[in-house]
Amino acid sequence: MAAVSAPDLLIHGCAVVTVDAAGTEYRDGWVTVRGNKIDAVGAGVPPEFGPEVARIDGRGCVLTPGLVNTHHHLYQWITRGLAADNTLFEWLTTLYPVWARIDEKSVRTAATGALVSLARSGCTTSSDHHYVFPRGGGDLLAAEIGAAGEVGLRFHPARGSMDLGQSKGGLPPDTVVESIDDILAASAAAIEDWHDPSFDAMVRIALAPCSPFSVTADLMRESAALARSAGVRLHTHLAETLDEQDFCQEKFGCTPAEYMERLGWLGDDVWYAHAVHLDDPAIAAMARTGTGIAHCPTSNGRLGAGIARTADLVAAGVPVGLGVDGAASNESSSMIEEPRNALLYARAVGGPRAMTVRTALELATMGGARVLGRADEIGSIEPGKLADLALWRLDMPAHAGIEDPVVALILGSAPPLAALLVNGREVVRDDVVLTVDEAAVGADVARAQATLLAGA
């Protein structure tokens, strides 16, 4: 029998929470990585390997799948701290004039800062919904894709769009909306230039008209037709606030969810952000069609939007992942905070058994993988899956005495990262991002925000 070649990396001595279908966990386990894939997972003493195998000592740590962020607006990283006490519609009308001044350079800076923050909070895959394209602003999609490549995260940019400005009864100012023809041409180009359908893709494109109060029905239908002909996913905001519900009742004579169904926006290639205000028929329709939800508990709390029916969605079989949402409505944008807040919100309205700590972790990992259509590639620690891994330090005073590592991770203070791997590559080691200079990024972000707010 031919000898089995040694792996490239061994992580050992740690608790391992695989989040596989059986819920396999090891209090003392190990994982090997070969290339960009998980090679093996086991308990106890790992196999003997020679000195050519790199090692990470995981004593005092818990290893989980990398966290998956299913909804974000990276450009907002340079507009944090504004409209802090406003409703969603007030917040949007305050910030749209500021966002109308973004350009390729500022988006690259903002995206880099936001992605660094995500990496530091255990995120290995992030989506982004970019829907503001000021005239003459440059190639904003390329800017954020470049930032993701530099930081080293797996990236799902959703080419957003708005064609319903204030002059036509929409919410955004006319300066940030585009024509349908321009949107469809840019969307087709984004798919052609950037979308990678391969198993280990680092970039995949989705199409994402913004929301019922900023796009026309024609744009929704034509974007869906284009996406489905190209084999890419669809994304939009939905049912985030009662204001949106009132808007849809007045304009369309139905709920936001019913409006989406009329437009053909249900299916296992669709995911909605927020979905706070859903009735039972809407949840049943999403479960029946496999339509996914990006639950954003921190942002929903920041804007007072309400508490999503997460426990009901999960119980019905709706694919549910977690998202930090835009940094202007979630200034920390910490992915590890989202499962904790999802659990607390669910229990606040549904009682202490509404969500377990392990369900919360699953939403942040396998749940997000399902929502983004990558359940066979990421979201759990299993041989053959991609090596997107987060190793969390729990041997800190803040976690002393918490016996269950999942309880410590979800309910305790956000722990530092001993290591973060994306596609088998170390992005964080000992709580330091290795791919970029964090101090320089922070200084660039501060300058970009000051320039943007000054109107330059």
Side-chain angles (χ1 to χ4, degrees):
M1 180 181 295
V4 177
S5 61
D8 298 303
L9 174 67
L10 167 67
I11 304 171
H12 62 96
C14 52
V16 179
V17 180
T18 69
V19 198
D20 66 6
T24 306
E25 298 181 13
Y26 303 118
R27 294 307 299 265
D28 179 14
W30 53 269
V31 170
T32 55
V33 173
R34 189 187 305 273
N36 66 347
K37 295 178 184 176
I38 297 164
D39 188 53
V41 185
V45 178
E48 290 287 339
F49 298 115
E52 75 280 6
V53 176
R55 289 166 168 79
I56 297 177
D57 187 341
R59 285 176 292 181
C61 300
V62 60
L63 185 70
T64 71
L67 308 185
V68 179
N69 178 31
T70 59
H71 186 64
H72 208 329
H73 307 293
L74 297 176
Y75 73 93
Q76 293 181 13
W77 192 256
I78 55 171
T79 58
R80 291 178 296 161
L82 307 177
D85 302 312
N86 290 20
T87 67
L88 174 65
F89 277 28
E90 293 167 346
W91 176 86
L92 284 170
T93 54
T94 298
L95 287 168
Y96 271 137
V98 180
W99 296 336
R101 297 194 293 270
I102 61 174
D103 59 17
E104 189 172 342
K105 181 180 178 182
S106 62
V107 168
R108 176 68 182 249
T109 298
T112 303
L115 290 161
V116 165
S117 178
L118 286 173
R120 289 183 57 81
S121 64
C123 178
T124 52
T125 297
S126 182
S127 64
D128 185 62
H129 185 183
H130 190 95
Y131 56 86
V132 178
F133 291 90
R135 297 175 185 88
D139 194 339
L140 306 188
L141 199 67
E144 63 174 16
I145 292 171
E150 182 181 12
V151 177
L153 297 195
R154 205 176 297 281
F155 194 41
H156 282 233
R159 205 293 176 180
S161 53
M162 298 188 293
D163 72 327
L164 188 66
Q166 288 175 341
S167 64
K168 296 180 180 178
L171 190 65
D174 290 349
T175 54
V176 295
V177 301
E178 304 170 277
S179 71
I180 290 183
D181 288 344
D182 287 346
I183 289 166
L184 294 175
S187 297
I191 297 168
E192 176 66 25
D193 293 344
W194 298 109
H195 183 66
D196 182 357
S198 62
F199 177 85
D200 57 357
M202 292 298 289
V203 177
R204 286 191 186 163
I205 297 292
L207 299 188
C210 184
S211 63
F213 48 83
S214 59
V215 303
T216 62
D218 286 343
L219 177 59
M220 294 294 288
R221 292 190 187 96
E222 294 194 39
S223 293
L226 173 59
R228 285 167 174 151
S229 68
V232 303
R233 301 179 81 74
L234 288 162
H235 183 48
T236 192
H237 298 99
L238 191 74
E240 184 175 0
T241 66
L242 292 173
D243 287 340
E244 180 185 328
Q245 188 157 298
D246 293 343
F247 179 93
C248 288
Q249 286 288 357
E250 180 183 341
K251 294 288 184 180
F252 313 121
C254 62
T255 68
E258 289 168 338
Y259 182 52
M260 289 298 107
E261 188 163 12
R262 288 182 191 176
L263 297 174
W265 269 67
L266 285 174
D268 60 7
D269 58 347
V270 177
W271 86 102
Y272 302 135
H274 305 298
V276 174
H277 301 283
L278 297 179
D279 56 19
D280 289 345
I283 292 175
M286 291 174 192
R288 183 179 68 253
T289 57
T291 305
I293 302 296
H295 176 37
C296 305
T298 304
S299 174
N300 293 158
R302 156 66 151 92
L303 291 170
I307 299 175
R309 297 174 60 185
T310 317
D312 293 336
L313 289 162
V314 172
V318 176
V320 179
L322 299 179
V324 301
D325 199 14
S329 64
N330 179 0
E331 277 73 6
S332 68
S333 296
S334 170
M335 193 59 207
I336 191 56
E337 293 179 9
E338 298 305 327
R340 181 175 189 266
N341 288 340
L343 178 146
L344 295 179
Y345 283 20
R347 291 185 179 185
V349 295
R353 292 186 177 84
M355 184 179 293
T356 70
V357 292
R358 283 168 171 77
T359 297
L361 178 61
E362 183 177 359
L363 295 182
T365 52
M366 271 304 298
R370 292 188 188 102
V371 165
L372 296 183
R374 303 197 73 163
D376 293 336
E377 302 166 71
I378 60 174
S380 62
I381 303 176
E382 300 180 73
K385 283 199 165 186
L386 296 169
D388 291 6
L389 303 167
L391 185 65
W392 308 89
R393 294 225 72 92
L394 296 181
D395 54 354
M396 313 295 288
H399 304 97
I402 303 178
E403 179 67 17
D404 186 328
V406 181
V407 172
L409 180 64
I410 300 301
L411 295 183
S413 300
L417 283 166
L420 185 78
L421 272 67
V422 183
N423 213 40
R425 175 195 182 197
E426 276 194 75
V427 173
V428 178
R429 186 67 179 268
D430 295 328
D431 215 33
V432 175
V433 177
L434 303 178
T435 50
V436 298
D437 182 335
E438 292 184 72
V441 170
D444 288 345
V445 165
R447 282 191 296 269
Q449 180 149 348
T451 300
L452 191 66
L453 295 182

